[in-house]
């Protein structure tokens, strides 16, 4: 019998490094919360069809997020009482959807997609940045943590940090944590000295931040205490829309319902407001030009995923299921299930114990259902047990 996580004598203490292979960390981490998560994933994997386990395990090692989402969906539909066929064959295509789910004689195709909200170039840059942070974390400084105020890469080459580490260690070695603490108390963070470094590959500005008195002689294993602030313009609707549209066209027309499931892992998607703007149309403020009756109200533009530019869209898609699920938030994760009012093939939403929404005469109706803690029978405070 294939296991997801084999018994190992190698252990990783503490948090993961920035570019650590995710599967390797979950496999070897000695943290109590990771042990709990690992046990849940192993339990789910044990119920996955034996003939499919080898391929899924390989994908876990190469693409943890996508493999985890598919395992999550398999367990979810299993808990909801569906029979499940993995990668079912299609009559007129060599392509295969992720699942065919069946209940009471009704069939539905299901496709899974993880949305990171990043281009390939952005993901490559993030890998470069994470590797840089991992190398910077090797700096040996006593009594201080580093706050990174600015970091700019000049090229696409992975920079070497040997000279930077030497400079930081030398500059911090001259500082007195007690004196710097007094400076910060009097002048705020401006009282902390600045260390600047630049070469042909990158430039960086860091501030040494003193540890508390009892830790002033300690060399931290994780010396980066603050990363540069990251901000965004707008929400995550664009990347979600592109992911859904791509999946909607992948298989052509079906003669049974088709659900698209998206795990929105991008930082830009805040939650319900962004998702409702995507599904039903973005909010707008409208009013009448009649001075006797302004009739001011919030309405939605006709730019949603199901109805756009005056036309019904995605008729081959019966519904869209969006989550923000990580291994660490399984019982607490939010989800949003939406019924396409123009679908050619209706999915039986009433037969599934999930919260879902639909539209009747321009009114959004939300039907109650179970949260994930109830469906999976996992306590919300599971990682502290």
């Amino acid at each position: 019998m294939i296991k997801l996580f084999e018994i190992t004598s190698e252990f990783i203490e503490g948090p993961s490094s920035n570019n650590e292979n995710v599967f390797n960390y979950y496999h070897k981490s000695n943290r109590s919360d990771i042990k709990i998560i690992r046990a849940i994933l192993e339990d789910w994997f044990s119920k996955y069809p034996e003939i499919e386990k080898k391929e899924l395990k390989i994908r876990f090692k190469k693409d943890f997020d996508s493999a985890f989402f598919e395992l999550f969906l398999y367990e979810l539909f299993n808990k909801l009482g569906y029979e499940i066929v993995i990668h079912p064959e299609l009559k007129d295509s060599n392509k295969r959807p992720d699942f065919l789910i069946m209940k009471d004689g009704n069939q539905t195709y299901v496709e899974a997609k993880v949305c990171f909200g990043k281009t390939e170039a952005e993901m490559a840059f993030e890998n470069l940045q994470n590797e840089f942070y991992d190398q910077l974390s090797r700096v040996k400084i006593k009594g201080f943590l580093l706050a990174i105020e600015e970091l700019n890469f000049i090229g696409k080459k992975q920079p070497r940090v040997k000279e930077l580490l030497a400079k930081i260690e030398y500059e911090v070695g001259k500082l007195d944590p007690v004196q710097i603490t007094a400076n910060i108390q009097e002048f705020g963070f401006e009282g902390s000295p600045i260390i600047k470094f630049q070469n042909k590959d990158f430039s960086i500005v860091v501030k040494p931040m003193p540890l508390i008195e009892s830790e002033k002689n300690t060399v931290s294993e994780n010396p980066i205490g603050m990363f540069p602030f990251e901000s965004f313009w707008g929400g995550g609707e664009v990347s979600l829309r592109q992911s859904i549209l791509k999946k909607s066209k992948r298989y052509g027309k079906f003669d049974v319902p088709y659900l698209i499931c998206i795990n929105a892992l991008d930082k830009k998607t805040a939650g319900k407001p962004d998702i409702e703007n995507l599904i039903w149309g973005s909010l707008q403020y409208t009013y009448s030009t009649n001075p006797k009756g302004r009739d001011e109200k919030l309405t939605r533009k006709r730019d949603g995923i199901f109805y756009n530019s005056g036309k019904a869209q995605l008729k081959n898609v019966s519904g869209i299921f969006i989550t923000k699920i990580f291994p660490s938030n399984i019982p607490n994760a939010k989800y949003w299930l939406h019924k396409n009012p123009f679908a050619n093939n209706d999915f039986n939403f009433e037969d599934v114990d999930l919260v879902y929404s639909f539209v009747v005469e321009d009114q959004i109706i939300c039907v109650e259902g179970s949260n994930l803690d109830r469906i999976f029978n996992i306590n919300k405070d599971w990682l502290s047990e």
Side-chain angles (χ1 to χ4, degrees):
M1 180 180 293
I2 299 176
K3 284 183 158 296
L4 181 57
F5 302 106
E6 304 293 341
I7 297 174
T8 179
S9 58
E10 298 179 30
F11 299 103
I12 298 175
E13 302 288 345
S16 170
S17 60
N18 290 287
N19 261 358
E20 178 73 66
N21 178 276
V22 180
F23 178 84
N24 187 63
Y25 185 72
Y26 275 95
H27 184 197
K28 298 179 180 179
S29 175
N30 209 26
R31 284 170 41 181
S32 58
D33 56 340
I34 301 297
K35 290 179 181 178
I36 294 171
I37 295 170
R38 189 162 59 226
I40 289 292
L41 297 184
E42 192 68 72
D43 176 61
W44 290 3
F45 189 77
S46 70
K47 291 176 271 185
Y48 207 72
E50 197 69 28
I51 195 172
E52 299 285 349
K53 285 182 178 179
K54 182 178 179 180
E55 188 271 341
L56 183 62
K57 183 172 180 176
I58 291 172
R59 291 186 52 240
F60 256 103
K61 293 180 178 181
K62 293 182 177 180
D63 187 357
F64 186 95
D65 293 314
S66 294
F68 164 71
F69 188 47
E70 289 190 23
L71 182 61
F72 160 78
L73 289 175
Y74 183 89
E75 182 70 11
L76 174 66
F77 289 118
N78 186 39
K79 290 286 189 185
L80 294 173
Y82 287 89
E83 295 179 52
I84 307 167
V85 177
I86 298 172
H87 300 143
E89 294 184 2
L90 299 177
K91 292 180 181 179
D92 303 317
S93 175
N94 292 326
K95 299 175 182 177
R96 296 190 178 194
D98 291 310
F99 303 112
L100 174 65
I101 60 174
M102 297 168 287
K103 183 192 283 189
D104 300 329
N106 297 315
Q107 298 183 336
T108 300
Y109 288 113
V110 176
E111 185 74 355
K113 169 72 175 176
V114 175
C115 177
F116 296 101
K118 300 172 186 174
T119 65
E120 290 185 7
E122 288 171 329
M123 294 185 72
F125 173 79
E126 186 174 275
N127 288 335
L128 181 145
Q129 181 176 254
N130 287 339
E131 179 61 27
F132 179 88
Y133 289 148
D134 286 343
Q135 292 186 40
L136 180 58
S137 293
R138 298 171 188 166
V139 69
K140 302 299 181 184
I141 53 176
K142 186 182 294 184
F144 288 88
L145 294 177
L146 297 177
I148 303 175
E149 291 213 326
E150 295 180 21
L151 174 60
N152 297 295
F153 294 104
I154 299 171
K156 297 181 180 179
K157 180 182 177 182
Q158 187 69 53
R160 297 181 179 181
V161 299
K162 185 176 180 180
E163 292 182 23
L164 171 64
L165 300 187
K167 179 178 177 65
I168 292 175
E169 289 171 359
Y170 174 74
E171 295 291 344
V172 173
K174 298 187 297 182
L175 302 176
D176 178 4
V178 176
Q179 181 60 53
I180 301 303
T181 299
N183 292 347
I184 292 175
Q185 289 174 344
E186 182 175 357
F187 303 109
F189 287 127
E190 298 300 319
S192 179
I194 290 176
I195 300 174
K196 296 182 179 181
F197 180 89
Q198 181 172 346
N199 62 18
K200 62 183 178 63
D201 295 320
F202 70 96
S203 65
I204 188 170
V205 177
V206 299
K207 278 190 174 184
M209 307 301 294
L211 295 170
I212 59 175
E213 177 70 20
S214 62
E215 301 289 334
K216 68 179 182 179
N217 293 317
T218 300
V219 176
S220 176
E221 294 182 2
N222 298 290
I224 303 178
M226 186 180 300
F227 295 90
F229 180 72
E230 186 175 17
S231 60
F232 307 101
W233 285 101
E237 300 102 307
V238 173
S239 58
L240 276 174
R241 184 184 295 270
Q242 291 174 345
S243 295
I244 292 168
L245 291 176
K246 185 175 181 179
K247 287 296 183 182
S248 70
K249 300 172 183 177
R250 182 169 174 76
Y251 303 104
K253 294 181 179 180
F254 286 125
D255 55 4
V256 299
Y258 175 41
L259 293 180
I260 295 178
C261 302
I262 305 286
N263 198 18
L265 300 186
D266 61 292
K267 298 177 183 178
K268 298 179 183 180
T269 304
K272 187 176 180 179
D274 285 347
I275 292 168
E276 288 196 339
N277 286 342
L278 165 72
I279 299 294
W280 305 123
S282 49
L283 285 171
Q284 62 181 356
Y285 182 72
T286 62
Y287 58 90
S288 171
T289 57
N290 184 352
K292 296 182 179 180
R294 301 285 286 175
D295 192 26
E296 300 166 336
K297 57 186 177 182
L298 279 175
T299 61
R300 290 193 179 272
K301 297 180 183 179
R302 299 188 180 276
D303 59 358
I305 199 76
F306 294 139
Y307 191 84
N308 197 300
S309 302
K311 296 189 299 183
Q313 307 282 342
L314 278 60
K315 292 184 179 181
N316 62 317
V317 178
S318 307
I320 296 172
F321 180 64
I322 299 176
T323 57
K324 287 188 78 70
I325 183 101
F326 302 89
S328 58
N329 74 342
I330 292 169
N332 300 293
K334 302 291 185 182
Y335 70 83
W336 302 268
L337 177 60
H338 303 282
K339 179 180 180 179
N340 185 353
F342 310 106
N344 293 328
N345 303 294
D346 286 332
F347 177 74
N348 190 357
F349 287 86
E350 295 79 10
D351 194 40
V352 59
D353 187 20
L354 293 172
V355 178
Y356 73 94
S357 62
F358 63 99
V359 170
V360 175
E361 296 180 353
D362 293 330
Q363 295 296 314
I364 301 173
I365 310 297
C366 187
V367 177
E368 294 185 359
S370 293
N371 292 325
L372 296 183
D373 60 325
R374 177 179 172 183
I375 293 172
F376 290 112
N377 193 27
I378 301 175
N379 292 332
K380 288 183 176 293
D381 58 351
W382 64 314
L383 296 183
S384 62
E385 294 178 346

